[in-house]
């Protein structure tokens, strides 16, 4: 005997991972879209006239985000302008293929597309960085550069907001990672639905409370065109361990994902705990809690041929890089200078 849809009584075709309810396809679409709309309106993510750069990687999350933002913008008259923004990290056999998906999405959703690349912005591709740093810590470089590249791309587009496809699983994983690292500063802000407002370019997460499994189901039943291959450099990422642990928790208790997010949201910090103060990088002008931002520190390490010196505590990295710089200057005093890689500038 077929299971009845909990919402309309018709034949159910799936069980929602988030709620456990058996629903038909149409009711699932209705619930999924209404929940995202509620997240957007309740969080005041957009205002009429906003020019929103949608982070588009070609994966399931960003593809569903672009599709549903266009749908809800037309259905509920948000009055926002949407632009697809992609970052080409320079990963052969991965990003070049996924960008082809983004280009198809551009035509499917009739949205403009802007692509910025690590090579143009920093003078390095991820393939070149991995050759220098190896397969350990490469995600640190990519994460830092990607975040800044999105901001710089949005500035080129004159967008005043960025929308990313971070889902509930991503945020719960980040909470776990920050707990394991003891990173109080990031733990405090990682569950915020909008970040970066202090820097003038807010970044919002319309899929904050949306389960990854439901995003996959939505993309499948809507027959959306997305790229599903995992990054060839990500299997060694620290996040993978948090993801595996979270999936184990989810099998035992599906609400673990939302529970972790609510725990992060409810976190309170003692008044006597010293928190980093956000400022701007003296070199590139990007928002930073240090005099020189992480991107500039990492880039300097790469350009000096000492990439591993930029991994770790910022003050220690700064001292090591300065010492390396002085040593290099004294050694090469009478040597013609080599062509330098790009510095980060806004």
């Amino acid at each position: 005997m077929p299971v009845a849809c909990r919402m309309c009584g018709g034949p159910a075709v799936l069980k929602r991972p988030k709620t456990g309810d058996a629903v038909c396809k149409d009711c699932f679409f209705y619930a999924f879209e209404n929940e995202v709309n509620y997240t957007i309106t309740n969080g005041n993510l957009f205002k009429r006239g906003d020019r929103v750069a949608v982070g588009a990687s070609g994966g399931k999350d960003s593809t569903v985000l672009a599709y549903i933002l266009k749908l809800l913008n037309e259905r509920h008259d948000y009055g926002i302008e949407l632009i697809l923004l992609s970052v080409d990290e320079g990963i052969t056999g991965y990003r070049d293929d996924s960008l082809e998906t983004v280009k198809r999405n551009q035509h499917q959703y009739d949205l403009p597309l802007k692509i910025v690349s690590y090579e143009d912005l920093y003078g390095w591709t991820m393939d070149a960085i991995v050759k220098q740093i190896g397969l350990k810590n490469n995600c640190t470089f990519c994460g830092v550069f990607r975040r800044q590249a999105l901001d710089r791309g949005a500035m080129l587009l004159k967008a005043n907001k960025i929308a990313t496809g971070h889902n509930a699983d991503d945020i719960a994983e980040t909470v776990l990672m920050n707990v394991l690292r003891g990173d109080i500063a990031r733990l405090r802000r990682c569950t915020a639905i909008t970040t970066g407002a202090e820097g003038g370019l807010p970044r919002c997460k319309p899929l904050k409370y949306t389960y990854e499994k439901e995003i996959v189901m939505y993309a499948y039943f809507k027959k959306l065109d997305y790229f599903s291959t995992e990054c060839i450099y990500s299997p060694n990422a620290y996040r993978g361990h948090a993801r595996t642990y979270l999936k184990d928790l989810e099998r035992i208790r599906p609400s673990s994902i939302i529970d972790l997010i609510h725990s992060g949201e409810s976190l309170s910090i003692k008044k006597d705990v010293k928190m980093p103060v956000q400022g701007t990088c003296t070199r590139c002008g990007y928002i930073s809690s240090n005099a020189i931002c992480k991107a500039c520190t990492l880039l300097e390490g790469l350009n000096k041929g000492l990439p591993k010196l930029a991994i770790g505590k910022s003050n220690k990295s700064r001292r090591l890089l300065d010492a390396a710089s002085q040593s290099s200057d004294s050694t090469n005093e009478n040597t013609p200078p080599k062509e330098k890689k790009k510095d980060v500038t806004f």
Side-chain angles (χ1 to χ4, degrees), residues 1 3 44 54 68 83 224 280 308 316:
M1 183 175 178
V3 178
N44 297 313
V54 182
I68 204 165
I83 308 166
L224 300 184
T280 55
K308 292 185 180 180
K316 182 179 179 182

Side-chain angles (χ1 to χ4, degrees), residues 5-126:
C5 172
R6 187 179 182 279
M7 297 177 70
C8 70
V13 297
L14 63 96
K15 182 179 180 180
R16 292 192 66 187
K18 185 177 183 179
T19 63
D21 293 339
V23 291
C24 67
K25 191 189 298 184
D26 289 337
C27 287
F28 171 62
F29 293 157
Y30 174 83
F32 185 96
E33 292 160 7
N34 274 10
E35 287 172 10
V36 176
N37 177 57
Y38 177 79
T39 300
I40 291 171
T41 54
N42 189 56
N44 297 313
L45 301 191
F46 307 122
K47 294 179 181 177
R48 183 171 293 277
D50 278 347
R51 186 175 171 88
V52 182
V54 182
S57 66
K60 62 185 185 315
D61 299 320
S62 63
T63 299
V64 168
L65 177 65
Y67 175 86
I68 204 165
L69 282 182
K70 179 176 173 62
L71 177 74
L72 296 177
N73 187 35
E74 294 171 352
R75 179 182 296 171
H76 299 286
D77 191 24
Y78 293 159
I80 61 176
E81 181 183 357
L82 299 171
I83 308 166
L84 298 179
L85 173 60
S86 292
V87 177
D88 181 2
E89 300 93 342
I91 304 175
T92 306
Y94 169 70
R95 183 54 74 208
D96 44 1
D97 291 340
S98 69
L99 286 175
E100 292 303 314
T101 305
V102 176
K103 291 173 184 176
R104 292 196 299 272
N105 291 159
Q106 174 192 8
H107 297 294
Q108 291 160 356
Y109 308 151
D110 191 25
L111 293 174
L113 169 65
K114 172 69 176 178
I115 300 174
V116 294
S117 71
Y118 283 7
E119 188 168 21
D120 290 340
L121 295 175
Y122 309 114
W124 289 84
T125 64
M126 272 310 297

Side-chain angles (χ1 to χ4, degrees), residues 117 133 281:
S117 71
I133 192 71
C281 175

